[in-house]
Amino acid sequence: MANRINTKLKEDGKLLSIYFTAGYPKLADTVEIIQQLEKNGVDMIEIGLPFSDPLADGPTIQQSSTAALKNGMTTEILFNQLKDIRKSVSIPLIIMGYFNPMFQYGVEAFCKKCQEIGIDGLIIPDLPVDVYHEEYQEMFEKYGLINVFLITPQTSDERIRFIDSVSNGFIYMVSSASVTGAQSGFGDEQQTYFHRIADMKLDNPQIVGFGISNSETFEQATKSAKGAIIGSAFIKHLNGHGVDGISAFTKTIR
Amino acid sequence: MKTYQADEKGYYGEFGGAFIPEMLYPNTEELRQNYIRIMQEPSFKEEFDQLLKDYVGRPTPLYFADRLSKKYNTKIYLKREDLCHTGAHKVNNTIGQILMAKKLGKNRIIAETGAGQHGVATATVCALMGIECIVYMGEIDIARQAPNVARMKMLGAEVRPALSGSRTLKDATNEAIRDWINNPVDTHYIIGSVVGPHPYPDMVARFQSVISEEIKWQLKEKEGRENPDYVVACVGGGSNAAGAYYHYLDNPDVGIIAVEAAGKGIDTGESAATSALGKVGIIHGSKTLLMQTGDGQITEPYSISAGLDYPGVGPMHANLFTSGRGEFISITDDDAMNAGLLLSKMEGIIPAIESSHALAILECRKFKPEDIVVINLSGRGDKDLNNYIEYFNL
């Protein structure tokens, strides 16, 4: 069976992907958030496995992670919450988290569990492509998981080519030199970067993340990329409106 | 030959490496490609050595502690890093890194600090070189360490509070890393210990290796031999220990003793003894031993000594522990405080509480009368006076 991510990437149109932190605002919100997002036309979901020390994230995601951990979220609980998710949800699901919790769970056990549940891919910001390629790629592929790598405006062409060669889904294009969190629009520098990457004609499509917060930034980001990921802006919306406000949020994007 | 030094990918055995988000790759890669070459340039070495001599006050004495030796019936030497400018070994590293930053064309320095010692050492060299300096410090530590915050401000540094997580050292480190992600081109991050992604553990160990380089010739002068029977140092992240062990790592004739902070006791839940309580994992870009929950969340350590309460150890030390090359001992708050008081009364030296942990092993670890034991006295006790006052009702 083809991976749901690959199937989705072949569809026409731009993809809207949403990140949320599992276990936030409430421990048991995970499944409902996923169902609501699919119902409201979101194409793909990143489920954040919270970590105590999320280096690549800004204050919004850090706070939601701290709160989720306080709520009692663990790897085991997340897997339990997701065990029947494929009975009700059919869009691609990706788990995004830092390497240490996966390492403690056991990387192979983690991959196996993801396959059982029907997780399609992983994003692990602090697992570098070199280490993945040497130590884990075979294992991920054995369990049918797509691993997604980040590139930034500072990533060299040579390294982007290498990342493209190791990837088999999409490339997560970080919009600017920053941690996660909304900023006000994209300037010339970002546009140049978006064009540079588009001109490289990579094998894997690109999805832009970091700094997407509304329909304007979504449109700018997806002019040359296949889609965009929204994280912090969605979490802020959850803060104010809770799970019931999801349809209001997705309507502001497209 | 088996070596306990880092390999070219920054691994000490299974520990080390660079587990960093892609956003940090260009920053660390630039350092990785250049640090050894720059350190070996004659102009770099000359300036580094000159500053260590004229500014830091090196070489620091290797002092034979006569009364202490008689009390414990063995030959005890103290390596007096407490006599370095700014009061601890930390400045050896910050001098090296500020020169490195200049060679790399950086004009902005960031650092993390727990107790404030590394922050002060960084602010000091930034003042020396006239470079902008921003120090991240946990909000809780800022309140606990007011004198060091004032020092950094006098030296012209900006102290930014880390408001996330537990608001202590590990969060200050996270904030500094985030700053570096946001400022990838003009900024150098001066990490204060042998922790973090490759090449930091190796680079910092090399800058601190001047400690054991001096011990070798100083001991030769005094005892006619370069090698002591034991080198003892306290380990938080482990930079003073890395420097004291460095030139002895691959010499099996020299015993290596690492002293960790047991806090209120290893089983109390208030401890920083990573070798006893930690498991392999990833912290701040390095695979090493760290204190964490079963679920892989990093936990908050405790020690009376602010310099030892880091939840991990540098990868060099993780490898020394698991390979058995190093002997690891943990010392409680109480035993460390008493050892600090004893050194003050018997030798007229008030040690930092970090260093008091290393001294405290003399009570529990027996040495032979003919053994030569070098204890690295990493810092002086001025900064800890309030702790000593409270503890002993002085």
Side-chain angles (χ1 to χ4, degrees), chain A residues 50-58 62 66 69 73-76 99-101 103-104 125-131 134-136 150-152 154-155 159 163 174 176-179 210, chain B residues 9 11 18-27 164-165 170-171 173-175 177-179 181-185 279-285 287 290 292-299:
Chain A
F51 182 49
S52 54
D53 295 76
L55 301 175
D57 287 300
Q62 159 116 35
T66 306
L69 292 172
M73 183 49 83
T74 65
T75 309
E76 198 64 63
F99 192 45
N100 197 50
F103 190 76
Q104 298 313 319
D126 59 344
L127 177 62
V129 61
D130 329 66
V131 178
E134 279 166 35
E135 294 181 36
Y136 297 110
L150 278 55
I151 62 169
T152 80
Q154 272 71 42
T155 311
R159 192 164 167 84
I163 286 170
V174 176
S176 58
S178 75
V179 292
F210 290 38
Chain B
K9 285 185 168 174
Y11 278 91
F19 291 81
I20 46 167
E22 190 61 31
M23 293 82 101
L24 277 180
Y25 181 82
N27 312 33
S164 63
K170 78 181 174 74
D171 309 287
T173 308
N174 294 336
E175 290 300 333
I177 290 173
R178 288 181 185 129
D179 181 309
I181 287 174
N182 290 326
N183 299 282
V185 180
K279 281 183 301 181
V280 183
I282 312 291
I283 180 170
H284 299 138
K287 187 190 257 190
L290 62 129
Q292 51 186 316
T293 66
D295 204 41
Q297 309 296 341
I298 297 170
T299 54

Side-chain angles (χ1 to χ4, degrees), chain B residues 67-253:
Chain B
R67 294 189 66 203
L68 209 59
S69 296
K70 288 204 175 87
K71 176 174 164 62
Y72 291 108
N73 194 25
T74 189
K75 292 173 94 170
I76 299 163
Y77 281 89
L78 302 178
K79 180 60 174 161
R80 297 291 309 275
E81 292 301 298
D82 59 314
L83 294 176
C84 288
H85 177 44
T86 72
H89 72 289
K90 290 281 185 192
V91 72
N92 302 327
N93 169 47
T94 59
I95 292 268
Q97 286 204 48
I98 196 84
L99 295 177
M100 179 71 61
K102 276 177 65 180
K103 289 273 185 192
L104 293 170
K106 308 290 177 182
N107 56 27
R108 182 174 176 271
I109 296 294
I110 55 170
E112 85 294 337
T113 197
Q117 292 308 105
H118 172 59
V120 169
T122 303
T124 299
V125 297
C126 287
L128 178 68
M129 297 295 170
I131 296 180
E132 182 187 2
C133 179
I134 291 146
V135 179
Y136 288 91
M137 190 169 183
E139 194 183 29
I140 289 177
D141 289 332
I142 288 179
R144 288 196 290 208
Q145 309 287 342
N148 272 341
V149 175
R151 282 186 188 103
M152 287 185 268
K153 287 181 178 166
M154 278 190 77
L155 294 161
E158 183 193 338
V159 181
R160 287 191 190 163
L163 306 171
S164 63
S166 51
R167 293 171 291 147
T168 57
L169 176 59
K170 78 181 174 74
D171 309 287
T173 308
N174 294 336
E175 290 300 333
I177 290 173
R178 288 181 185 129
D179 181 309
W180 209 23
I181 287 174
N182 290 326
N183 299 282
V185 180
D186 65 343
T187 299
H188 175 71
Y189 176 19
I190 299 190
I191 294 185
S193 192
V194 286
V195 302
H198 179 58
Y200 278 100
D202 185 46
M203 180 171 69
V204 176
R206 284 169 190 253
F207 286 138
Q208 293 292 359
S209 70
V210 64
I211 300 171
S212 48
E213 196 182 302
E214 288 175 4
I215 295 173
K216 282 179 93 169
W217 64 257
Q218 289 171 320
L219 201 61
K220 178 90 178 169
E221 274 182 13
K222 291 176 197 299
E223 294 281 347
R225 53 190 261 205
E226 289 188 339
N227 302 333
D229 295 287
Y230 298 95
V231 193
V232 182
C234 62
V235 174
S239 69
N240 91 82
Y245 305 156
Y246 194 87
H247 291 285
Y248 298 119
L249 282 171
D250 293 333
N251 182 345
D253 295 339

